[in-house]
């Protein structure tokens, strides 16, 4: 007795929902990062004002960013669905990471002015580079 089609019918909707939850989680993380950068641009205009920092630990933030980038890389590598659906997902992911790359570059120029010698500046530079690499990976497959 072969239950392969029954299992496939059961697990495929769960996998598609998990893909969209991953997308929403990554989009939320990117939106939070960009909102912190935007608030820093708007509110920190005097030397005595303190910018909002990402987290208290550089290593935990770096490991979170690298882990998320690895998950997105493997997600792209093992993408499921029809060709049209895969192309649609890759386009949406590419646009998301492309916009993040552009906003990180602009925030890096406006906030740090190419002076990335502290933990938040280095983290923003790493996020920009990883976002550009992931954008290239998602868009180059289309």
């Amino acid at each position: 007795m072969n239950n392969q089609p029954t299992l496939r019918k059961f697990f495929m909707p769960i996998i598609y929902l998990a893909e969209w939850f991953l997308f929403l989680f990554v989009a939320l993380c990117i939106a939070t990062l960009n909102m912190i950068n935007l608030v820093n641009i708007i509110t920190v205009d005097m030397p005595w004002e303190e910018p909002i920092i990402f987290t208290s630990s550089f290593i935990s933030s770096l490991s979170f960013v690298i882990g998320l980038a690895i998950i997105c890389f493997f997600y792209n590598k093992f993408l499921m669905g029809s060709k049209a659906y895969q192309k649609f997902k890759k386009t949406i992911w590419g646009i998301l990471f492309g916009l993040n790359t552009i906003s990180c570059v602009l925030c890096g120029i406006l906030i740090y002015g190419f002076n990335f010698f502290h933990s938040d500046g280095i983290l923003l530079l790493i996020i920009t580079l990883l976002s550009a690499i992931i954008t290239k990976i998602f868009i180059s497959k289309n």
Side-chain angles (χ1 to χ4, degrees):
M1 190 160 152
N2 192 357
N3 289 334
Q4 183 95 10
T6 307
L7 289 176
R8 188 175 191 100
K9 286 181 183 179
F10 177 73
F11 283 116
M12 288 309 289
I14 294 172
I15 291 172
Y16 287 138
L17 281 175
E19 287 177 342
W20 286 107
F21 281 130
L22 176 67
F23 177 78
L24 290 175
F25 177 73
V26 171
L28 183 65
C29 290
I30 288 174
T32 303
L33 170 75
N34 290 324
M35 288 303 293
I36 289 172
N37 287 330
L38 181 65
V39 167
N40 282 338
I41 289 172
I42 293 172
T43 61
V44 180
D45 55 358
M46 296 294 170
W48 61 84
E49 293 176 340
E50 293 289 324
I52 298 172
I53 58 173
F54 294 124
T55 60
S56 60
S57 173
F58 174 73
I59 298 299
S60 67
S61 299
L62 183 65
S63 61
F64 178 76
V65 168
I66 291 174
L68 203 58
I70 290 170
I71 289 170
C72 290
F73 172 76
F74 283 117
Y75 171 74
N76 181 38
K77 191 165 183 77
F78 300 109
L79 205 57
M80 298 179 75
S82 67
K83 293 290 183 187
Y85 187 64
Q86 286 180 5
K87 188 172 183 175
F88 173 73
K89 287 191 287 188
K90 287 180 182 183
T91 303
I92 288 179
W93 280 90
I95 289 170
L96 178 71
F97 280 108
L99 290 175
N100 185 46
T101 303
I102 292 169
S103 68
C104 285
V105 167
L106 290 175
C107 290
I109 291 170
L110 293 175
I111 295 173
Y112 303 110
F114 300 109
N115 186 11
F116 297 102
F117 293 118
H118 48 82
S119 62
D120 283 346
I122 293 170
L123 186 63
L124 184 66
L125 185 64
I126 291 170
I127 290 170
T128 305
L129 292 174
L130 286 175
S131 189
I133 290 168
I134 292 173
T135 302
K136 184 187 177 299
I137 289 171
F138 275 110
I139 297 297
S140 69
K141 299 289 182 172
N142 282 340

